[in-house]
Amino acid sequence: MDYAAVDYFFIYFSVFITSQAFCLNILWNTRGLRSQLKDSVPVTGLCPQAGPYGVQDSLRRGFSSVKNELLPSHPLELSEKNFQLNQDKMNFNTLRNIQGLHAPLKLQMEYRAARQIQRLPFLPSSNLALDTLRGTDDTIGFEDILNDPVLSEVMGDPHIMTEYKLGVL
Amino acid sequence: RRIMATVSVCKYYPGGFSFDNCKRNALLEADISKLGFSSPAARKTGTTICGVVYKDGVVLGADTRATEGMIVADKNCSKIHYISPNIYCCGAGTAADTEMTTQIISSNLELHSLSTGRLPRVATANRMLKQMLFRYQGYIGAALVLGGVDCNGPHLYSIYPHGSTDKLPYVTMGSGSLAAMAVFEDRYRPNMEEEEAKRLVRDAIAAGIFNDLGSGSNIDLCVITKGKVDYLRPHDVANKKGVRTGSYRYKHGTTGVLTKTVTPLNLEVVEESVQTMDTS
């Protein structure tokens, strides 16, 4: 989450400085789904292929090979993983074009604040404030019906997770 | 260290589709086809669905057969799904996909109409559906005919699995769409009366049923007007299951009885106990 915000700021400041703001924003806005898949494949997102126990998860991710680590297991996997991020980027972009730089900056600050409202590290949070800001508190999608993290069968060890969060691991 | 033996820190997964088994499935698919078997096919609704706009509203029609490969999985399935009190949607393609998509959109539209305080519009449902289907790039195999009456009059849309939509006065979808479209192209005229529109849709679906293997059984109609919805299921039983003319049952006394011995079994009641069921 953090690197996306930094990414955003970097792009905008560099654009502002070179004063080609208008052209570059149009380019960003018209990029379709396909181009986003090509340029921004986060290779680090797919490897290492470690599962919950720290070793290769053959059952879910297949045998370990270079091809396996570079390519997603389904064409939609990357686009779905980054969907919320990409939606936010597009919305902030449009907002910036309409209202100026201050609008997305203020909203990003609010998002960061809302994202910090969490429960203990091993408990799932409802993210109500974040949902309200995004406007998804009155919509239902597949992320609410399928694989609801509240109903997940595995849970991280509370001690390990709190230690990790507090940095004493 | 003890971390190696325990579960490492669990990342938070936001839910939704999980692509964990895709690689395994691809490998299995390749292996199974080498052995000569085939993996189970998804249940499709190989279908004829159509809709027509008439003077006061919209008439939607659908057949009722669901197929699983070459077998009829459901002889009387309902393909006209409820979206909102004034909007209904027929679905062709993978049965589960149409079912879940229409249910999700129906819930979203209900929440939206509660938040706006107004009756939902067909254009809203259309936009929600097309944005969802485009997001999944056609992997959700749902071809839909969306029709309803709102404050701006009657509207009819057809929505394809990849997310493109058309707003037209008459549409057909599914494997029997060509047969149904032939009937529409011949007899459609603007501003029909209700009876004529119902007859036209019924004939279009019948053409699909009789000329396409993927469609069959009965014809369902849904007539939507301002303030009233007539869900006619079934409107027309085009394919009645045949009645057996003869019976293979043997009459009493066909087999001659030679001897007859009766042995009563004397059972004693040893113990009787009552166990109450925990119904709390």
Side-chain angles (χ1 to χ4, degrees), chain B residues 39-60:
Chain B
S39 54
R43 180 186 292 202
K44 304 187 75 87
T45 54
T47 292
T48 311
I49 49 175
C50 66
V52 96
V53 174
Y54 72 103
K55 197 174 72 173
D56 306 320
V58 162
V59 179
L60 300 172

mmCIF file of all heavy atoms in Angstrom, chain B residues 39-60:
data_model
loop_
_atom_site.group_PDB
_atom_site.id
_atom_site.type_symbol
_atom_site.label_atom_id
_atom_site.label_comp_id
_atom_site.label_asym_id
_atom_site.label_seq_id
_atom_site.Cartn_x
_atom_site.Cartn_y
_atom_site.Cartn_z
ATOM 1 N N SER B 39 -12.893 -33.979 -18.390
ATOM 2 C CA SER B 39 -13.288 -33.401 -17.096
ATOM 3 C C SER B 39 -14.764 -33.017 -17.144
ATOM 4 O O SER B 39 -15.322 -32.799 -18.220
ATOM 5 C CB SER B 39 -12.422 -32.181 -16.798
ATOM 6 O OG SER B 39 -12.496 -31.297 -17.872
ATOM 7 N N PRO B 40 -15.430 -32.937 -15.982
ATOM 8 C CA PRO B 40 -16.872 -32.628 -15.984
ATOM 9 C C PRO B 40 -17.146 -31.251 -16.573
ATOM 10 O O PRO B 40 -16.422 -30.306 -16.330
ATOM 11 C CB PRO B 40 -17.248 -32.682 -14.499
ATOM 12 C CG PRO B 40 -15.983 -32.615 -13.768
ATOM 13 C CD PRO B 40 -14.916 -33.167 -14.633
ATOM 14 N N ALA B 41 -18.201 -31.182 -17.366
ATOM 15 C CA ALA B 41 -18.547 -29.921 -18.025
ATOM 16 C C ALA B 41 -19.434 -29.096 -17.110
ATOM 17 O O ALA B 41 -20.213 -29.630 -16.335
ATOM 18 C CB ALA B 41 -19.275 -30.192 -19.337
ATOM 19 N N ALA B 42 -19.296 -27.776 -17.210
ATOM 20 C CA ALA B 42 -20.163 -26.898 -16.417
ATOM 21 C C ALA B 42 -21.573 -26.969 -16.976
ATOM 22 O O ALA B 42 -21.781 -27.221 -18.148
ATOM 23 C CB ALA B 42 -19.643 -25.470 -16.487
ATOM 24 N N ARG B 43 -22.545 -26.760 -16.092
ATOM 25 C CA ARG B 43 -23.928 -26.784 -16.566
ATOM 26 C C ARG B 43 -24.198 -25.488 -17.295
ATOM 27 O O ARG B 43 -24.061 -24.396 -16.739
ATOM 28 C CB ARG B 43 -24.870 -26.929 -15.367
ATOM 29 C CG ARG B 43 -26.314 -26.964 -15.800
ATOM 30 C CD ARG B 43 -27.200 -26.957 -14.601
ATOM 31 N NE ARG B 43 -27.053 -28.197 -13.874
ATOM 32 C CZ ARG B 43 -27.978 -28.650 -13.038
ATOM 33 N NH1 ARG B 43 -29.092 -27.977 -12.870
ATOM 34 N NH2 ARG B 43 -27.783 -29.767 -12.380
ATOM 35 N N LYS B 44 -24.598 -25.589 -18.541
ATOM 36 C CA LYS B 44 -24.911 -24.393 -19.334
ATOM 37 C C LYS B 44 -26.407 -24.308 -19.511
ATOM 38 O O LYS B 44 -27.117 -25.268 -19.320
ATOM 39 C CB LYS B 44 -24.245 -24.493 -20.711
ATOM 40 C CG LYS B 44 -22.758 -24.695 -20.641
ATOM 41 C CD LYS B 44 -22.144 -24.624 -22.007
ATOM 42 C CE LYS B 44 -22.051 -23.230 -22.515
ATOM 43 N NZ LYS B 44 -20.870 -22.497 -22.150
ATOM 44 N N THR B 45 -26.873 -23.162 -19.909
ATOM 45 C CA THR B 45 -28.294 -23.095 -20.190
ATOM 46 C C THR B 45 -28.558 -22.993 -21.671
ATOM 47 O O THR B 45 -29.604 -22.541 -22.059
ATOM 48 C CB THR B 45 -28.963 -21.887 -19.498
ATOM 49 O OG1 THR B 45 -28.269 -20.717 -19.864
ATOM 50 C CG2 THR B 45 -28.925 -22.049 -18.029
ATOM 51 N N GLY B 46 -27.677 -23.476 -22.568
ATOM 52 C CA GLY B 46 -27.759 -23.526 -24.041
ATOM 53 C C GLY B 46 -29.053 -23.023 -24.524
ATOM 54 O O GLY B 46 -29.695 -23.172 -24.536
ATOM 55 N N THR B 47 -29.620 -22.136 -24.768
ATOM 56 C CA THR B 47 -30.862 -21.478 -24.461
ATOM 57 C C THR B 47 -31.461 -20.723 -25.618
ATOM 58 O O THR B 47 -30.790 -20.480 -26.593
ATOM 59 C CB THR B 47 -30.531 -20.446 -23.394
ATOM 60 O OG1 THR B 47 -30.194 -21.117 -22.255
ATOM 61 C CG2 THR B 47 -31.575 -19.461 -23.139
ATOM 62 N N THR B 48 -32.733 -20.404 -25.476
ATOM 63 C CA THR B 48 -33.244 -19.312 -26.298
ATOM 64 C C THR B 48 -33.851 -18.300 -25.349
ATOM 65 O O THR B 48 -34.783 -18.636 -24.615
ATOM 66 C CB THR B 48 -34.346 -19.812 -27.259
ATOM 67 O OG1 THR B 48 -33.869 -20.975 -27.907
ATOM 68 C CG2 THR B 48 -34.685 -18.763 -28.269
ATOM 69 N N ILE B 49 -33.355 -17.092 -25.353
ATOM 70 C CA ILE B 49 -34.003 -16.032 -24.569
ATOM 71 C C ILE B 49 -34.207 -14.839 -25.478
ATOM 72 O O ILE B 49 -33.434 -14.610 -26.398
ATOM 73 C CB ILE B 49 -33.174 -15.581 -23.346
ATOM 74 C CG1 ILE B 49 -31.732 -15.301 -23.719
ATOM 75 C CG2 ILE B 49 -33.252 -16.592 -22.247
ATOM 76 C CD1 ILE B 49 -30.947 -14.739 -22.566
ATOM 77 N N CYS B 50 -35.295 -14.130 -25.242
ATOM 78 C CA CYS B 50 -35.537 -12.971 -26.100
ATOM 79 C C CYS B 50 -36.393 -11.964 -25.364
ATOM 80 O O CYS B 50 -36.974 -12.257 -24.315
ATOM 81 C CB CYS B 50 -36.213 -13.402 -27.401
ATOM 82 S SG CYS B 50 -37.847 -14.052 -27.153
ATOM 83 N N GLY B 51 -36.444 -10.768 -25.916
ATOM 84 C CA GLY B 51 -37.272 -9.730 -25.309
ATOM 85 C C GLY B 51 -37.760 -8.789 -26.382
ATOM 86 O O GLY B 51 -37.121 -8.634 -27.419
ATOM 87 N N VAL B 52 -38.904 -8.162 -26.092
ATOM 88 C CA VAL B 52 -39.464 -7.233 -27.079
ATOM 89 C C VAL B 52 -40.109 -6.064 -26.344
ATOM 90 O O VAL B 52 -40.688 -6.253 -25.265
ATOM 91 C CB VAL B 52 -40.475 -7.997 -27.974
ATOM 92 C CG1 VAL B 52 -41.879 -7.847 -27.498
ATOM 93 C CG2 VAL B 52 -40.334 -7.599 -29.401
ATOM 94 N N VAL B 53 -39.953 -4.874 -26.877
ATOM 95 C CA VAL B 53 -40.602 -3.700 -26.281
ATOM 96 C C VAL B 53 -41.904 -3.475 -27.012
ATOM 97 O O VAL B 53 -41.925 -3.392 -28.244
ATOM 98 C CB VAL B 53 -39.696 -2.456 -26.432
ATOM 99 C CG1 VAL B 53 -40.427 -1.225 -25.960
ATOM 100 C CG2 VAL B 53 -38.421 -2.625 -25.658
ATOM 101 N N TYR B 54 -43.018 -3.383 -26.255
ATOM 102 C CA TYR B 54 -44.290 -3.109 -26.924
ATOM 103 C C TYR B 54 -44.840 -1.797 -26.390
ATOM 104 O O TYR B 54 -44.116 -1.015 -25.777
ATOM 105 C CB TYR B 54 -45.252 -4.289 -26.772
ATOM 106 C CG TYR B 54 -45.836 -4.474 -25.391
ATOM 107 C CD1 TYR B 54 -47.139 -4.080 -25.129
ATOM 108 C CD2 TYR B 54 -45.106 -5.060 -24.364
ATOM 109 C CE1 TYR B 54 -47.703 -4.250 -23.888
ATOM 110 C CE2 TYR B 54 -45.657 -5.236 -23.120
ATOM 111 C CZ TYR B 54 -46.949 -4.825 -22.884
ATOM 112 O OH TYR B 54 -47.494 -5.003 -21.640
ATOM 113 N N LYS B 55 -46.120 -1.556 -26.627
ATOM 114 C CA LYS B 55 -46.669 -0.230 -26.360
ATOM 115 C C LYS B 55 -46.511 0.202 -24.903
ATOM 116 O O LYS B 55 -46.047 1.285 -24.618
ATOM 117 C CB LYS B 55 -48.149 -0.227 -26.756
ATOM 118 C CG LYS B 55 -48.714 1.175 -26.915
ATOM 119 C CD LYS B 55 -50.117 1.127 -27.431
ATOM 120 C CE LYS B 55 -51.019 0.619 -26.302
ATOM 121 N NZ LYS B 55 -52.456 0.686 -26.643
ATOM 122 N N ASP B 56 -46.921 -0.692 -23.944
ATOM 123 C CA ASP B 56 -46.926 -0.264 -22.537
ATOM 124 C C ASP B 56 -45.741 -0.750 -21.746
ATOM 125 O O ASP B 56 -45.625 -0.434 -20.587
ATOM 126 C CB ASP B 56 -48.173 -0.804 -21.811
ATOM 127 C CG ASP B 56 -49.446 -0.426 -22.533
ATOM 128 O OD1 ASP B 56 -49.521 0.706 -23.026
ATOM 129 O OD2 ASP B 56 -50.344 -1.298 -22.598
ATOM 130 N N GLY B 57 -44.881 -1.606 -22.360
ATOM 131 C CA GLY B 57 -43.806 -2.159 -21.536
ATOM 132 C C GLY B 57 -42.935 -3.124 -22.295
ATOM 133 O O GLY B 57 -42.659 -2.949 -23.479
ATOM 134 N N VAL B 58 -42.516 -4.153 -21.572
ATOM 135 C CA VAL B 58 -41.533 -5.101 -22.106
ATOM 136 C C VAL B 58 -42.040 -6.518 -21.886
ATOM 137 O O VAL B 58 -42.601 -6.816 -20.837
ATOM 138 C CB VAL B 58 -40.186 -4.891 -21.369
ATOM 139 C CG1 VAL B 58 -39.286 -6.076 -21.550
ATOM 140 C CG2 VAL B 58 -39.510 -3.644 -21.840
ATOM 141 N N VAL B 59 -41.852 -7.388 -22.898
ATOM 142 C CA VAL B 59 -42.156 -8.804 -22.713
ATOM 143 C C VAL B 59 -40.843 -9.573 -22.828
ATOM 144 O O VAL B 59 -40.137 -9.449 -23.826
ATOM 145 C CB VAL B 59 -43.136 -9.328 -23.783
ATOM 146 C CG1 VAL B 59 -43.394 -10.806 -23.550
ATOM 147 C CG2 VAL B 59 -44.435 -8.564 -23.729
ATOM 148 N N LEU B 60 -40.491 -10.353 -21.794
ATOM 149 C CA LEU B 60 -39.302 -11.192 -21.841
ATOM 150 C C LEU B 60 -39.732 -12.638 -21.958
ATOM 151 O O LEU B 60 -40.719 -13.033 -21.344
ATOM 152 C CB LEU B 60 -38.467 -11.035 -20.569
ATOM 153 C CG LEU B 60 -37.936 -9.657 -20.262
ATOM 154 C CD1 LEU B 60 -37.314 -9.644 -18.881
ATOM 155 C CD2 LEU B 60 -36.897 -9.245 -21.284
#
